[in-house]
Amino acid sequence: MVETTEHAPAAPEPKYWHLRTVLLRAIDSEFGIGQVIPNERELAARFGVARATLRQALDQLELEGRLVRRRGIGTLVAAPRTTVPVSRAEEGWPGAAPDTAWRIVDCTTAPATDRLAQALGVPAGESVHTVRRLRVTGGQVVGTESLHVPDSTVAHLPGIVSGAGSGRSVLRQLQHLELAGESRAVELGVAEAEEARLMQRPPGTPVLVVTTQYAARGRIAALAVSTYRADTCRLSFGETGLVEVAPVESALAGVRAS
Amino acid sequence: MVETTEHAPAAPEPKYWHLRTVLLRAIDSEFGIGQVIPNERELAARFGVARATLRQALDQLELEGRLVRRRGIGTLVAAPRTTVPVSRAEEGWPGAAPDTAWRIVDCTTAPATDRLAQALGVPAGESVHTVRRLRVTGGQVVGTESLHVPDSTVAHLPGIVSGAGSGRSVLRQLQHLELAGESRAVELGVAEAEEARLMQRPPGTPVLVVTTQYAARGRIAALAVSTYRADTCRLSFGETGLVEVAPVESALAGVRAS
């Protein structure tokens, strides 16, 4: 029953897009996860397309996490994406998650830039501790995080020495705060040089950028900016009260296209 | 203070990536939002790069939502991304959001495919109502949604005639259910042909795919699969208790790179 009829002009279907759909069907029916698919020359011949068109379709399928290119090996059928929980219910306060989920890279203390100060709601120039961590899932680094904590968030707690910047102490101090709330945003980005290096990927790799403001005692207590590999990760925001039926990640493949 | 030293090999910086960073700096300092930047020939000459490299850098900046190509006009500096709230706190049950936020396209009723049945936790072949809606922000269509509601979710409520499939009635009936919880996942995808048509974009446009399972009365009452334009949208998951300091979207540009 059509309630509102949309008369959008049919978008022209680019050639590579048609090929991508055909390739996807071939991959699903002929190859298993981890199998190497034929090389570009063979595929271009089989489907009767130019190499440039083929490459565009392969790029697309790599972005979608369906194919993965390995230097010296070829193009493989990718494993399904890894579900990485990012909600507080599953994560707790920064640092409360099991040690295996996060690995501290380093911690630096510096005066806040204007932009960082604005995002944290502190005066420009206030000392901010930045803890860099890696997100590890199944032994694989899947993301990076910069956790910015104003000195005023942790300075007045007993036991912390002002200016002391070890990542582990900052995280320990955070766990003593009572969290009032949090706000989270997700968008598409690309890995900057340093983030890419930490994930051992080339710069420009598509990432899901998650920005979280943590509030405590009536102000922003910490700001986390995380990047997760968009090709291999699905982020889950588990919430309370949900019955455990088929987890959506295992059951959903194909629901959209069908 | 380095707690764990990572000795990842420095990833090679591709040529287009260096150019992308240089371009971004030029855009930020020389052009305002909505301004047309020089054409490809001029840019390639100015930066002394091949057209192919330039195009790769421009593609990247378009994916990042910094540039937008308009046929017959050229390449423009894009407006900042639109923040689209997707959490239940702001949205309510499907259909409880203001009419201006969602526009119903159509509603169909059909037996569940195996995959959809599995995702909904219902027997294969059960009748499922699928309401398709467009997400509208600032008069612009920014996303599409397919909301799948098993007939058993709405059939036993007073007032609904089994099999009656108007989108508006299905949504009205959903609002009578008491929601027990929800689970949400976000990942990168590309717009399939029909989704692309509804958003008036070419197929293959990068989208953020949001999958939400809504639970009520001990089972999955509905499953929503939404796609949001990844170039122009940032999804926000507002939660309770957060103080209103500088909203992160306005303050954060540049925090990552700095």
Side-chain angles (χ1 to χ4, degrees):
Chain A
M1 241 159 286
V2 175
E3 299 214 2
T4 306
T5 313
E6 294 291 320
H7 284 296
E13 183 173 270
K15 208 164 186 179
Y16 87 89
W17 178 259
H18 177 72
L19 178 61
R20 168 258 182 201
T21 309
V22 171
L23 272 173
L24 204 48
R25 226 171 286 143
I27 290 167
D28 281 341
S29 62
E30 297 171 36
F31 299 92
I33 290 165
Q35 276 195 301
V36 177
I37 67 170
N39 66 32
E40 289 189 5
R41 197 175 37 75
E42 289 171 66
L43 288 174
R46 170 165 167 189
F47 294 105
V49 295
R51 286 285 275 275
T53 307
L54 176 71
R55 244 177 246 137
Q56 240 187 316
L58 294 176
D59 283 349
Q60 183 84 40
L61 289 170
E62 199 179 7
L63 182 76
E64 292 179 59
R66 302 300 303 263
L67 291 178
V68 56
R69 281 159 165 143
R70 290 263 167 77
R71 204 175 293 222
I73 298 179
T75 303
L76 287 68
V77 178
R81 282 178 173 156
T82 306
T83 300
V84 183
V86 297
S87 70
R88 178 156 55 96
E90 292 166 66
E91 284 267 281
W93 249 112
D99 260 6
T100 50
W102 291 96
R103 198 186 304 156
I104 294 177
V105 177
D106 56 20
C107 177
T108 52
T109 303
T113 61
D114 289 357
R115 278 170 167 165
L116 183 55
Q118 200 196 336
L120 284 165
V122 300
E126 174 169 338
S127 256
V128 173
H129 309 287
T130 298
V131 184
R132 289 198 307 166
R133 302 193 292 172
L134 300 181
R135 181 67 185 259
V136 181
T137 296
Q140 280 271 343
V141 174
V142 293
T144 70
E145 182 195 68
S146 288
L147 177 67
H148 305 286
V149 184
D151 195 44
S152 52
T153 295
V154 287
H156 299 131
L157 286 174
I160 193 161
V161 182
S162 175
S166 137
R168 228 167 279 279
S169 339
V170 170
L171 293 175
R172 247 198 310 271
Q173 293 305 320
L174 277 184
Q175 286 165 46
H176 290 145
L177 283 182
E178 198 182 325
L179 194 60
E182 63 187 356
S183 172
R184 196 173 265 119
V186 179
E187 65 189 301
L188 179 61
V190 294
E192 301 284 347
E194 184 59 11
E195 292 157 349
R197 191 186 66 80
L198 290 170
M199 291 192 279
Q200 298 186 271
R201 298 290 300 161
T205 299
V207 288
L208 295 166
V209 181
V210 182
T211 310
T212 311
Q213 286 176 314
Y214 295 96
R217 298 183 297 180
R219 35 170 301 213
I220 295 175
L223 173 73
V225 183
S226 318
T227 61
Y228 294 89
R229 284 182 58 174
D231 53 347
T232 58
C233 295
R234 165 192 295 110
L235 306 180
S236 77
F237 299 82
E239 289 185 28
T240 47
L242 191 72
V243 284
E244 278 296 332
V245 193
V248 80
E249 50 270 23
S250 67
L252 205 76
V255 166
R256 269 172 76 214
S258 69
Chain B
M1 240 160 286
V2 176
E3 299 214 0
T4 306
T5 313
E6 293 291 317
H7 285 297
E13 183 173 269
K15 208 164 188 179
Y16 88 90
W17 178 259
H18 177 72
L19 178 62
R20 168 257 182 202
T21 309
V22 171
L23 271 174
L24 203 49
R25 225 172 285 143
I27 290 166
D28 280 340
S29 62
E30 297 171 34
F31 299 92
I33 290 165
Q35 275 194 302
V36 177
I37 67 170
N39 66 32
E40 289 189 5
R41 198 175 36 76
E42 290 171 64
L43 288 174
R46 169 165 167 190
F47 294 105
V49 295
R51 286 286 276 277
T53 307
L54 176 70
R55 243 176 250 138
Q56 239 187 316
L58 294 176
D59 282 349
Q60 183 85 39
L61 289 170
E62 200 179 5
L63 181 76
E64 292 179 59
R66 302 301 303 263
L67 292 177
V68 57
R69 281 158 165 144
R70 290 263 168 76
R71 205 175 291 222
I73 298 179
T75 303
L76 287 70
V77 178
R81 282 179 174 155
T82 306
T83 300
V84 183
V86 296
S87 70
R88 177 157 55 98
E90 292 166 66
E91 285 267 283
W93 248 112
D99 260 4
T100 50
W102 291 97
R103 199 185 303 155
I104 294 176
V105 177
D106 55 19
C107 177
T108 52
T109 303
T113 61
D114 289 356
R115 277 168 167 167
L116 183 55
Q118 200 196 336
L120 284 165
V122 299
E126 173 167 340
S127 255
V128 173
H129 310 286
T130 298
V131 184
R132 289 198 307 166
R133 303 193 293 171
L134 300 181
R135 180 65 184 259
V136 182
T137 296
Q140 281 270 344
V141 174
V142 294
T144 69
E145 183 194 69
S146 288
L147 178 68
H148 305 286
V149 184
D151 194 45
S152 51
T153 294
V154 286
H156 299 129
L157 286 173
I160 192 161
V161 183
S162 176
S166 136
R168 229 168 278 278
S169 337
V170 170
L171 293 175
R172 246 196 312 271
Q173 293 307 321
L174 277 183
Q175 286 165 46
H176 290 145
L177 282 182
E178 199 183 324
L179 194 59
E182 64 188 355
S183 171
R184 197 173 263 118
V186 179
E187 64 188 301
L188 179 61
V190 294
E192 301 283 347
E194 184 59 12
E195 293 157 350
R197 193 187 64 81
L198 290 170
M199 291 192 279
Q200 298 186 271
R201 301 287 302 159
T205 299
V207 288
L208 295 167
V209 182
V210 181
T211 310
T212 311
Q213 286 175 313
Y214 295 97
R217 299 183 295 178
R219 35 171 301 213
I220 295 176
L223 173 73
V225 183
S226 319
T227 61
Y228 294 90
R229 283 182 59 174
D231 53 346
T232 59
C233 294
R234 165 192 295 109
L235 306 181
S236 77
F237 299 81
E239 292 185 24
T240 48
L242 191 73
V243 284
E244 277 298 330
V245 193
V248 81
E249 49 270 25
S250 67
L252 205 77
V255 165
R256 267 173 76 212
S258 69

PDB file of all heavy atoms in Angstrom, chain A residues 96-118:
ATOM      1  N   ALA A  96      37.671   0.132  32.417  1.00  0.00           N
ATOM      2  CA  ALA A  96      37.057  -0.917  33.235  1.00  0.00           C
ATOM      3  C   ALA A  96      36.891  -2.216  32.448  1.00  0.00           C
ATOM      4  O   ALA A  96      36.660  -3.268  33.023  1.00  0.00           O
ATOM      5  CB  ALA A  96      35.706  -0.457  33.770  1.00  0.00           C
ATOM      6  N   ALA A  97      37.012  -2.117  31.116  1.00  0.00           N
ATOM      7  CA  ALA A  97      36.912  -3.318  30.289  1.00  0.00           C
ATOM      8  C   ALA A  97      38.104  -4.222  30.580  1.00  0.00           C
ATOM      9  O   ALA A  97      39.126  -3.763  31.081  1.00  0.00           O
ATOM     10  CB  ALA A  97      36.891  -2.943  28.815  1.00  0.00           C
ATOM     11  N   PRO A  98      37.971  -5.513  30.288  1.00  0.00           N
ATOM     12  CA  PRO A  98      39.095  -6.415  30.570  1.00  0.00           C
ATOM     13  C   PRO A  98      40.364  -5.958  29.842  1.00  0.00           C
ATOM     14  O   PRO A  98      40.298  -5.405  28.752  1.00  0.00           O
ATOM     15  CB  PRO A  98      38.609  -7.769  30.046  1.00  0.00           C
ATOM     16  CG  PRO A  98      37.403  -7.485  29.215  1.00  0.00           C
ATOM     17  CD  PRO A  98      36.817  -6.213  29.720  1.00  0.00           C
ATOM     18  N   ASP A  99      41.492  -6.199  30.472  1.00  0.00           N
ATOM     19  CA  ASP A  99      42.783  -5.780  29.938  1.00  0.00           C
ATOM     20  C   ASP A  99      43.036  -6.277  28.522  1.00  0.00           C
ATOM     21  O   ASP A  99      43.785  -5.667  27.773  1.00  0.00           O
ATOM     22  CB  ASP A  99      43.904  -6.334  30.834  1.00  0.00           C
ATOM     23  CG  ASP A  99      44.398  -5.260  31.788  1.00  0.00           C
ATOM     24  OD1 ASP A  99      43.787  -4.175  31.792  1.00  0.00           O
ATOM     25  OD2 ASP A  99      45.371  -5.511  32.506  1.00  0.00           O
ATOM     26  N   THR A 100      42.397  -7.396  28.200  1.00  0.00           N
ATOM     27  CA  THR A 100      42.650  -7.967  26.882  1.00  0.00           C
ATOM     28  C   THR A 100      41.996  -7.161  25.778  1.00  0.00           C
ATOM     29  O   THR A 100      42.376  -7.262  24.621  1.00  0.00           O
ATOM     30  CB  THR A 100      42.102  -9.406  26.825  1.00  0.00           C
ATOM     31  OG1 THR A 100      40.750  -9.367  27.310  1.00  0.00           O
ATOM     32  CG2 THR A 100      42.918 -10.338  27.685  1.00  0.00           C
ATOM     33  N   ALA A 101      40.987  -6.345  26.120  1.00  0.00           N
ATOM     34  CA  ALA A 101      40.266  -5.600  25.089  1.00  0.00           C
ATOM     35  C   ALA A 101      41.008  -4.337  24.660  1.00  0.00           C
ATOM     36  O   ALA A 101      40.849  -3.867  23.542  1.00  0.00           O
ATOM     37  CB  ALA A 101      38.866  -5.244  25.577  1.00  0.00           C
ATOM     38  N   TRP A 102      41.792  -3.769  25.553  1.00  0.00           N
ATOM     39  CA  TRP A 102      42.505  -2.527  25.259  1.00  0.00           C
ATOM     40  C   TRP A 102      43.968  -2.670  25.645  1.00  0.00           C
ATOM     41  O   TRP A 102      44.302  -3.277  26.655  1.00  0.00           O
ATOM     42  CB  TRP A 102      41.902  -1.367  26.067  1.00  0.00           C
ATOM     43  CG  TRP A 102      40.531  -0.962  25.650  1.00  0.00           C
ATOM     44  CD1 TRP A 102      39.362  -1.366  26.211  1.00  0.00           C
ATOM     45  CD2 TRP A 102      40.184  -0.055  24.591  1.00  0.00           C
ATOM     46  NE1 TRP A 102      38.297  -0.771  25.574  1.00  0.00           N
ATOM     47  CE2 TRP A 102      38.789   0.046  24.581  1.00  0.00           C
ATOM     48  CE3 TRP A 102      40.930   0.675  23.671  1.00  0.00           C
ATOM     49  CZ2 TRP A 102      38.097   0.853  23.669  1.00  0.00           C
ATOM     50  CZ3 TRP A 102      40.258   1.487  22.764  1.00  0.00           C
ATOM     51  CH2 TRP A 102      38.858   1.559  22.770  1.00  0.00           C
ATOM     52  N   ARG A 103      44.827  -2.053  24.842  1.00  0.00           N
ATOM     53  CA  ARG A 103      46.253  -2.064  25.163  1.00  0.00           C
ATOM     54  C   ARG A 103      46.735  -0.617  25.165  1.00  0.00           C
ATOM     55  O   ARG A 103      46.538   0.109  24.187  1.00  0.00           O
ATOM     56  CB  ARG A 103      46.989  -2.866  24.090  1.00  0.00           C
ATOM     57  CG  ARG A 103      48.377  -3.314  24.503  1.00  0.00           C
ATOM     58  CD  ARG A 103      49.102  -3.974  23.344  1.00  0.00           C
ATOM     59  NE  ARG A 103      48.368  -5.093  22.765  1.00  0.00           N
ATOM     60  CZ  ARG A 103      48.539  -5.529  21.503  1.00  0.00           C
ATOM     61  NH1 ARG A 103      49.387  -4.920  20.707  1.00  0.00           N
ATOM     62  NH2 ARG A 103      47.850  -6.545  21.053  1.00  0.00           N
ATOM     63  N   ILE A 104      47.311  -0.174  26.279  1.00  0.00           N
ATOM     64  CA  ILE A 104      47.796   1.210  26.370  1.00  0.00           C
ATOM     65  C   ILE A 104      49.051   1.381  25.515  1.00  0.00           C
ATOM     66  O   ILE A 104      49.968   0.562  25.576  1.00  0.00           O
ATOM     67  CB  ILE A 104      48.095   1.591  27.832  1.00  0.00           C
ATOM     68  CG1 ILE A 104      46.783   1.614  28.646  1.00  0.00           C
ATOM     69  CG2 ILE A 104      48.783   2.961  27.908  1.00  0.00           C
ATOM     70  CD1 ILE A 104      46.979   1.912  30.114  1.00  0.00           C
ATOM     71  N   VAL A 105      49.069   2.424  24.695  1.00  0.00           N
ATOM     72  CA  VAL A 105      50.250   2.728  23.881  1.00  0.00           C
ATOM     73  C   VAL A 105      51.139   3.719  24.618  1.00  0.00           C
ATOM     74  O   VAL A 105      52.313   3.478  24.848  1.00  0.00           O
ATOM     75  CB  VAL A 105      49.852   3.316  22.507  1.00  0.00           C
ATOM     76  CG1 VAL A 105      51.089   3.706  21.705  1.00  0.00           C
ATOM     77  CG2 VAL A 105      48.987   2.333  21.740  1.00  0.00           C
ATOM     78  N   ASP A 106      50.564   4.855  25.010  1.00  0.00           N
ATOM     79  CA  ASP A 106      51.329   5.842  25.759  1.00  0.00           C
ATOM     80  C   ASP A 106      50.385   6.844  26.397  1.00  0.00           C
ATOM     81  O   ASP A 106      49.160   6.780  26.200  1.00  0.00           O
ATOM     82  CB  ASP A 106      52.367   6.556  24.862  1.00  0.00           C
ATOM     83  CG  ASP A 106      51.739   7.215  23.641  1.00  0.00           C
ATOM     84  OD1 ASP A 106      50.508   7.461  23.642  1.00  0.00           O
ATOM     85  OD2 ASP A 106      52.472   7.492  22.677  1.00  0.00           O
ATOM     86  N   CYS A 107      50.934   7.755  27.167  1.00  0.00           N
ATOM     87  CA  CYS A 107      50.145   8.796  27.811  1.00  0.00           C
ATOM     88  C   CYS A 107      50.986  10.062  27.819  1.00  0.00           C
ATOM     89  O   CYS A 107      52.155  10.031  28.208  1.00  0.00           O
ATOM     90  CB  CYS A 107      49.787   8.360  29.231  1.00  0.00           C
ATOM     91  SG  CYS A 107      48.884   9.634  30.149  1.00  0.00           S
ATOM     92  N   THR A 108      50.402  11.151  27.336  1.00  0.00           N
ATOM     93  CA  THR A 108      51.130  12.417  27.330  1.00  0.00           C
ATOM     94  C   THR A 108      50.285  13.466  28.039  1.00  0.00           C
ATOM     95  O   THR A 108      49.056  13.363  28.080  1.00  0.00           O
ATOM     96  CB  THR A 108      51.397  12.898  25.887  1.00  0.00           C
ATOM     97  OG1 THR A 108      50.152  12.883  25.174  1.00  0.00           O
ATOM     98  CG2 THR A 108      52.386  12.002  25.169  1.00  0.00           C
ATOM     99  N   THR A 109      50.925  14.462  28.585  1.00  0.00           N
ATOM    100  CA  THR A 109      50.227  15.562  29.247  1.00  0.00           C
ATOM    101  C   THR A 109      50.669  16.854  28.587  1.00  0.00           C
ATOM    102  O   THR A 109      51.863  17.094  28.423  1.00  0.00           O
ATOM    103  CB  THR A 109      50.554  15.580  30.745  1.00  0.00           C
ATOM    104  OG1 THR A 109      50.194  14.305  31.295  1.00  0.00           O
ATOM    105  CG2 THR A 109      49.772  16.670  31.472  1.00  0.00           C
ATOM    106  N   ALA A 110      49.682  17.656  28.147  1.00  0.00           N
ATOM    107  CA  ALA A 110      50.007  18.902  27.442  1.00  0.00           C
ATOM    108  C   ALA A 110      48.869  19.890  27.625  1.00  0.00           C
ATOM    109  O   ALA A 110      47.736  19.492  27.923  1.00  0.00           O
ATOM    110  CB  ALA A 110      50.227  18.614  25.954  1.00  0.00           C
ATOM    111  N   PRO A 111      49.145  21.198  27.444  1.00  0.00           N
ATOM    112  CA  PRO A 111      48.064  22.181  27.526  1.00  0.00           C
ATOM    113  C   PRO A 111      47.075  21.932  26.388  1.00  0.00           C
ATOM    114  O   PRO A 111      47.474  21.586  25.277  1.00  0.00           O
ATOM    115  CB  PRO A 111      48.784  23.527  27.306  1.00  0.00           C
ATOM    116  CG  PRO A 111      50.246  23.242  27.485  1.00  0.00           C
ATOM    117  CD  PRO A 111      50.452  21.806  27.140  1.00  0.00           C
ATOM    118  N   ALA A 112      45.776  22.092  26.667  1.00  0.00           N
ATOM    119  CA  ALA A 112      44.738  21.853  25.657  1.00  0.00           C
ATOM    120  C   ALA A 112      44.826  22.889  24.546  1.00  0.00           C
ATOM    121  O   ALA A 112      44.973  24.085  24.808  1.00  0.00           O
ATOM    122  CB  ALA A 112      43.362  21.907  26.302  1.00  0.00           C
ATOM    123  N   THR A 113      44.729  22.414  23.295  1.00  0.00           N
ATOM    124  CA  THR A 113      44.568  23.341  22.177  1.00  0.00           C
ATOM    125  C   THR A 113      43.195  23.985  22.312  1.00  0.00           C
ATOM    126  O   THR A 113      42.338  23.491  23.058  1.00  0.00           O
ATOM    127  CB  THR A 113      44.619  22.587  20.835  1.00  0.00           C
ATOM    128  OG1 THR A 113      43.544  21.639  20.817  1.00  0.00           O
ATOM    129  CG2 THR A 113      45.945  21.847  20.653  1.00  0.00           C
ATOM    130  N   ASP A 114      42.957  25.064  21.560  1.00  0.00           N
ATOM    131  CA  ASP A 114      41.662  25.751  21.642  1.00  0.00           C
ATOM    132  C   ASP A 114      40.513  24.790  21.352  1.00  0.00           C
ATOM    133  O   ASP A 114      39.498  24.790  22.049  1.00  0.00           O
ATOM    134  CB  ASP A 114      41.611  26.914  20.647  1.00  0.00           C
ATOM    135  CG  ASP A 114      42.515  28.068  21.097  1.00  0.00           C
ATOM    136  OD1 ASP A 114      43.101  27.960  22.193  1.00  0.00           O
ATOM    137  OD2 ASP A 114      42.628  29.057  20.353  1.00  0.00           O
ATOM    138  N   ARG A 115      40.692  24.003  20.311  1.00  0.00           N
ATOM    139  CA  ARG A 115      39.601  23.103  19.922  1.00  0.00           C
ATOM    140  C   ARG A 115      39.337  22.026  20.956  1.00  0.00           C
ATOM    141  O   ARG A 115      38.193  21.706  21.264  1.00  0.00           O
ATOM    142  CB  ARG A 115      39.923  22.441  18.587  1.00  0.00           C
ATOM    143  CG  ARG A 115      39.580  23.334  17.422  1.00  0.00           C
ATOM    144  CD  ARG A 115      40.134  22.756  16.161  1.00  0.00           C
ATOM    145  NE  ARG A 115      39.551  23.424  14.998  1.00  0.00           N
ATOM    146  CZ  ARG A 115      40.045  23.326  13.777  1.00  0.00           C
ATOM    147  NH1 ARG A 115      41.107  22.596  13.547  1.00  0.00           N
ATOM    148  NH2 ARG A 115      39.466  23.953  12.776  1.00  0.00           N
ATOM    149  N   LEU A 116      40.401  21.462  21.474  1.00  0.00           N
ATOM    150  CA  LEU A 116      40.227  20.413  22.478  1.00  0.00           C
ATOM    151  C   LEU A 116      39.602  21.008  23.746  1.00  0.00           C
ATOM    152  O   LEU A 116      38.703  20.410  24.350  1.00  0.00           O
ATOM    153  CB  LEU A 116      41.576  19.752  22.791  1.00  0.00           C
ATOM    154  CG  LEU A 116      41.547  18.573  23.778  1.00  0.00           C
ATOM    155  CD1 LEU A 116      40.574  17.495  23.328  1.00  0.00           C
ATOM    156  CD2 LEU A 116      42.948  17.987  23.943  1.00  0.00           C
ATOM    157  N   ALA A 117      40.056  22.207  24.122  1.00  0.00           N
ATOM    158  CA  ALA A 117      39.510  22.866  25.311  1.00  0.00           C
ATOM    159  C   ALA A 117      38.009  23.096  25.139  1.00  0.00           C
ATOM    160  O   ALA A 117      37.206  22.851  26.047  1.00  0.00           O
ATOM    161  CB  ALA A 117      40.233  24.189  25.555  1.00  0.00           C
ATOM    162  N   GLN A 118      37.626  23.523  23.936  1.00  0.00           N
ATOM    163  CA  GLN A 118      36.204  23.781  23.668  1.00  0.00           C
ATOM    164  C   GLN A 118      35.398  22.478  23.769  1.00  0.00           C
ATOM    165  O   GLN A 118      34.319  22.454  24.362  1.00  0.00           O
ATOM    166  CB  GLN A 118      36.055  24.392  22.272  1.00  0.00           C
ATOM    167  CG  GLN A 118      34.738  25.131  22.075  1.00  0.00           C
ATOM    168  CD  GLN A 118      34.447  25.391  20.604  1.00  0.00           C
ATOM    169  OE1 GLN A 118      35.360  25.428  19.774  1.00  0.00           O
ATOM    170  NE2 GLN A 118      33.174  25.555  20.271  1.00  0.00           N
TER     171      GLN A 118
END
